[in-house]
Amino acid sequence: TPITSMKMQTQIALRKVREYLKDHQDAAANLDQVMSLLVRSDRVLERLNRLVGDLLDSSRIQTGKLNFVQEACDLAQIVRDVVEDQRVIWPQRIIEMDLPSEPSPLFADCERVRQVVTNYLTNALKYSAPSEPIAVWVAHIGDMARVAVRDRGPGIPYNEQGRIWERFHQAEGVEVQSGSGIGLGLGLHICKTLIEGQGGQVGVISVVGFGSTFWFTLPLAHPDASARR
């Protein structure tokens, strides 16, 4: 709760400064430093919020108290929203997106799915150079929907690819290239639990020096899925 309150106040301050700059262009130079500090504070708060969230989720997983709230949603729309959010946070980065022309209906915990997509995408941005694009796409394979996020980072050694899904594990020799700091080694473990708990699978395809593609699958909803709510 304190973190949420601090983040909300920072975002309000950012919005007010931006609104002021629209009408007072001559003040831009004097407010550059203020904007820079607010943006950095917002990013730190977001990272802190994610770390606390990961710890809480890990605790729920270990105690068997992680619950899913299922509802009808569109996976393609979730991916589109997450990509747009990250484009705002990382305006200098190129994020390419390829979505199917038709909806990707799920009967799932939509917020948890969004959490996984966000984790995949932020990891791709963090572990690749600022000049390198990120690719995100959704495909339908039979009765499953597949999301994949590809980066052009350093790649993950083969002997680490199975272990990155373990609780608290952090791959050796894979360094952050954009932004700052590393996580607790919980994000991918949580992603795996969230997806497998909803009937899907996770995986990674990676070659050292050529980048990584993280993917997950979830069952597409049957036409009568919403009737089972």
Side-chain angles (χ1 to χ4, degrees), residues 5-23 31-46 85 88-91:
S5 177
M6 290 168 63
K7 184 167 178 58
M8 182 175 64
Q9 292 176 47
T10 301
Q11 291 176 333
I12 291 172
L14 269 170
R15 185 168 65 247
K16 288 186 176 296
V17 171
R18 291 192 178 106
E19 291 172 353
Y20 182 81
L21 287 175
K22 288 180 181 179
D23 299 323
L31 290 174
D32 276 348
Q33 187 176 9
V34 175
M35 283 289 291
S36 177
L37 290 170
L38 285 172
V39 169
R40 289 171 61 186
S41 297
D42 188 55
R43 288 179 178 174
V44 170
L45 285 169
E46 177 61 26
D85 288 345
V88 172
I89 297 171
W90 303 76

Side-chain angles (χ1 to χ4, degrees), residues 4 32 39 51-52 77 108 122 136 151 172 174 182 184 187 194 196 201 206 211 219 221:
T4 301
D32 276 348
V39 169
L51 291 174
V52 173
Q77 186 61 50
T122 54
V136 184
D151 65 62
E172 295 183 4
V174 181
I182 58 176
L184 300 171
L194 294 179
E196 291 183 349
Q201 293 182 319
S206 186

Side-chain angles (χ1 to χ4, degrees), residues 74-81 83 96-102 104 136-140 146-147:
D74 181 0
L75 178 59
Q77 186 61 50
I78 290 174
V79 171
R80 183 181 293 108
D81 291 344
V83 168
E96 301 166 349
M97 185 167 48
D98 185 9
L99 303 179
S101 56
E102 69 274 17
S104 303
V136 184
W137 66 92
V138 177
H140 296 173
R146 187 176 190 268
V147 176

Side-chain angles (χ1 to χ4, degrees), residues 168-187:
F168 293 123
H169 182 75
Q170 296 176 331
E172 295 183 4
V174 181
E175 299 181 355
V176 172
Q177 298 191 36
S178 300
S180 61
I182 58 176
L184 300 171
L186 288 171

